[in-house]
Amino acid sequence: MFESTVQVSKLQDLINRSKMARCRGRFVCPVILYKGKHVCRSATLAGWGELYGRTGYNYIFSGGSDDAWADTEDLSEEDSAFRNADSQLFDKVRGHDIKLLRYLSIRYICDLMVENKKVKFGLNVTSSEKVDKAQRYADFTLLSIPYPGCEFFKEYKDRDYRAEGLVFNWKQDYVDAPLSIPVSLTRSLNIDWSEYQSWDLVQQTQNYLKLLISLINGDDDSGLLVHCISGWDRTPLFVALLRLSLWADGLIHASLEPAEILYLTVAYDWFLFGHMLVDRLSKGEEIFFFCFNFLKHISSEEFSAVKLQRRKSLLPGFTVEEICTPKQRDRGSTTSLSSDFSLVLESSPGAAGSFTSEAVELMPAGAQTQAAWKKSRTSCPQTVLWSWTPQPEDRPPYHEAKSSSSSSNHSDIFLRVGSSPLEVPKPRLVPVAGRESRLEEVRSAFLATYSSTIGLKAVPSSPSGALGGLLEQFARGVGLRGSSSTL
């Protein structure tokens, strides 16, 4: 169990002081707590045009006071060379932004912009940490991972919602931010990042998600910030995929059913943070639909944070297969009391009572998975779990989570079958449904609701009405609305 150590009053104060630093006032906001680390989202840094404009606007309409100039602390010595009119303002507001990042223990900043600065009408309206001239963000690990904006997803819709083979044009004039990731963060991923401009939309999204998962699974206590320009298209895409992936692994939101996690992700990650679905639908830029339809591409164990943790916890010199697959002589019989592993037996015609080494794996058996089995057993009636209690000296080198009670350290990892040590264990059904089935449930629920309220081809005559219907369907799915109530 992990709890945030953030004090609400302190967080409010830092947000109030730092909000001017980022585009549209969209400050750094923690949205996921994972292993004691904060996953945050925001917009990119505000440029001088927006910063001066908002400062003047706030000064006029606040009766002559401006929060951005409150608390006139001395500038740090290293910034003394930039004490002109422009840099004083940037020092002030970006200094507060940095304080907020440090308070949330953020180390990694992932920038999804394909440009260094957003230019409109010849003016730099937004900037980025990676091009801050004063190097104020040099103490953070900056990752430039350019990803196509929402306009690119019109091509996705025009190709009948097929992302395979859809490659972004990196030769466009405004695209000037190359991919830049510290080598130390990519060694374990086995990805050739130099080929990123040749990736299609599927491969690019998959690889970026793998990167985010590896960052938050690091051994340190550092948090993560993800942002694009305004933070309401690309940012919710990756925050939502990360949340759903961790949920499918049972690592966060463990009590939520598929319909409930879908409602949370749609309402919180997308709509509460300002995604303009009506506008995007009118332009055919269906990045919102792409997000949930993309779940079919991240359902494998390749994207599992649990698998990554398990690999890190292995003893040197041993592979996953060597630890999780016992030798033939160590398996014992299906009625032996000395078996050391939980055996998953999948019976088939002509093969009843037999099993192979590929069917042997370590299985968690918590209350959450038992509940999931009740739902999945009708679709997988042939799956049976035989569970044995391993001796302490024979347990595989599993990395165990901290527990408030030392007596329950192993109770959540292995089932203890029978009340007597002399009792022959009986087969016991526990869930074996993995992340694939969980993510497919979410995707299926989304597609059903989306197609019945908005549709996949024609833009509805009343997009706002369709949006209301979408939210209404989600609300009914999680029991927040009755069949006769209206949104």
Side-chain angles (χ1 to χ4, degrees):
M1 298 296 294
F2 295 94
E3 293 184 1
S4 175
T5 58
V6 169
Q7 298 178 4
V8 175
S9 59
K10 177 69 172 177
L11 183 63
Q12 288 176 331
D13 180 65
L14 289 172
I15 287 175
N16 189 50
R17 295 178 186 279
S18 67
K19 61 185 179 183
M20 296 289 296
R22 296 196 171 261
C23 174
R24 305 179 187 273
R26 297 173 65 82
F27 50 82
V28 175
C29 181
V31 291
I32 298 176
L33 182 65
Y34 172 68
K35 294 172 61 177
K37 308 173 186 180
H38 291 289
V39 177
C40 301
R41 61 181 294 172
S42 72
T44 191
L45 297 178
W48 67 266
E50 179 178 2
L51 192 53
Y52 272 109
R54 289 188 180 275
T55 301
Y57 180 88
N58 290 346
Y59 182 84
I60 294 173
F61 288 95
S62 63
S65 63
D66 183 11
D67 290 336
W69 291 98
D71 182 21
T72 57
E73 298 174 350
D74 293 335
L75 299 176
S76 58
E77 293 181 2
E78 59 267 23
D79 288 337
S80 60
F82 306 98
R83 290 175 178 270
N84 53 50
D86 288 343
S87 63
Q88 276 192 355
L89 180 57
F90 280 105
D91 285 336
K92 193 66 182 179
V93 296
R94 291 187 180 177
H96 287 309
D97 181 66
I98 291 172
K99 287 181 180 180
L100 176 58
L101 289 170
R102 287 174 176 165
Y103 184 66
L104 294 169
S105 299
I106 301 301
R107 176 184 176 185
Y108 305 105
I109 300 179
C110 297
D111 184 354
L112 295 164
M113 296 171 59
V114 297
E115 57 269 283
N116 290 321
K117 296 182 178 182
K118 184 67 174 180
V119 179
K120 285 188 176 182
F121 308 109
L123 298 176
N124 294 329
V125 294
T126 68
S127 185
S128 173
E129 299 91 351
K130 60 181 179 281
V131 292
D132 181 58
K133 293 181 180 179
Q135 296 293 304
R136 299 175 183 87
Y137 294 85
D139 291 338
F140 299 90
T141 302
L142 306 180
L143 296 88
S144 175
I145 48 175
Y147 190 83
C150 60
E151 301 86 358
F152 182 64
F153 287 84
K154 185 179 187 305
E155 297 186 35
Y156 166 69
K157 175 179 180 293
D158 293 343
R159 296 177 83 251
D160 293 328
Y161 304 95
R162 287 184 291 108
E164 296 84 353
L166 181 57
V167 181
F168 180 68
N169 180 12
W170 298 96
K171 305 298 183 182
Q172 300 176 76
D173 293 338
Y174 70 95
V175 179
D176 59 358
L179 185 141
S180 177
I181 307 172
V183 176
S184 59
L185 301 178
T186 62
R187 288 172 181 159
S188 62
L189 295 178
N190 195 27
I191 296 174
D192 186 359
W193 295 95
S194 64
E195 299 293 327
Y196 78 96
Q197 293 189 355
S198 65
W199 295 340
D200 64 12
L201 189 58
V202 173
Q203 190 174 6
Q204 186 179 26
T205 309
Q206 287 177 328
N207 289 340
Y208 283 8
L209 181 61
K210 289 180 183 178
L211 176 64
L212 296 181
I213 293 174
S214 69
L215 290 177
I216 62 173
N217 261 326
D219 296 328
D220 56 16
D221 297 325
S222 303
L224 168 70
L225 170 66
V226 180
H227 75 74
C228 50
I229 296 179
S230 296
W232 50 39
D233 291 301
R234 288 168 286 186
T235 299
L237 167 64
F238 282 99
V239 170
L241 289 177
L242 182 59
R243 186 187 303 277
L244 288 166
S245 181
L246 294 175
W247 167 82
D249 288 334
L251 299 176
I252 61 173
H253 308 305
S255 63
L256 298 186
E257 298 293 333
E260 294 171 329
I261 191 65
L262 175 59
Y263 184 87
L264 171 66
T265 309
V266 169
Y268 182 59
D269 291 334
W270 285 91
F271 294 156
L272 184 63
F273 280 86
H275 177 66
M276 298 183 292
L277 180 62
V278 174
D279 176 75
R280 299 298 183 255
L281 287 175
S282 66
K283 298 176 181 177
E285 301 167 351
E286 297 201 30
I287 187 173
F288 173 69
F289 173 82
F290 170 81
C291 173
F292 294 94
N293 192 44
F294 191 76
L295 294 179
K296 63 185 178 181
H297 294 294
I298 63 169
S299 60
S300 70
E301 295 299 316
E302 184 180 2
F303 300 90
S304 172
V306 175
K307 179 181 179 181
L308 182 60
Q309 292 175 8
R310 186 178 301 166
R311 286 187 179 275
K312 288 184 177 181
S313 66
L314 297 178
L315 289 178
F318 289 89
T319 66
V320 176
E321 290 74 17
E322 289 172 338
I323 290 178
C324 294
T325 306
K327 297 178 181 178
Q328 180 69 30
R329 60 181 174 82
D330 293 331
R331 289 183 196 159
S333 66
T334 56
T335 58
S336 170
L337 292 176
S338 62
S339 298
D340 297 328
F341 295 86
S342 299
L343 308 180
V344 178
L345 308 182
E346 293 194 10
S347 59
S348 59
S354 64
F355 56 88
T356 62
S357 60
E358 288 75 17
V360 180
E361 62 181 45
L362 300 173
M363 293 294 296
Q368 176 193 350
T369 52
Q370 292 175 2
W373 169 255
K374 294 178 181 179
K375 294 188 176 183
S376 62
R377 67 177 185 269
T378 55
S379 59
C380 304
Q382 73 279 10
T383 306
V384 181
L385 174 69
W386 293 81
S387 217
W388 317 107
T389 304
Q391 298 302 317
E393 64 272 15
D394 295 331
R395 283 196 178 94
Y398 235 76
H399 180 71
E400 298 180 5
K402 294 181 179 179
S403 173
S404 58
S405 174
S406 59
S407 62
S408 61
N409 282 345
H410 303 295
S411 60
D412 291 334
I413 299 180
F414 294 93
L415 282 177
R416 297 185 179 274
V417 182
S419 58
S420 169
L422 299 179
E423 182 179 350
V424 176
K426 299 178 181 179
R428 187 170 180 178
L429 300 181
V430 300
V432 296
R435 56 180 286 123
E436 181 175 3
S437 60
R438 289 163 65 83
L439 290 176
E440 184 56 33
E441 283 191 66
V442 174
R443 177 174 173 267
S444 297
F446 174 83
L447 292 178
T449 303
Y450 193 91
S451 61
S452 64
T453 55
I454 295 177
L456 298 179
K457 288 296 182 182
V459 176
S461 57
S462 177
S464 59
L467 173 58
L470 179 69
L471 289 173
E472 174 67 18
Q473 288 288 337
F474 285 130
R476 291 178 182 175
V478 295
L480 298 179
R481 292 286 189 278
S483 58
S484 60
S485 60
T486 57
L487 187 64

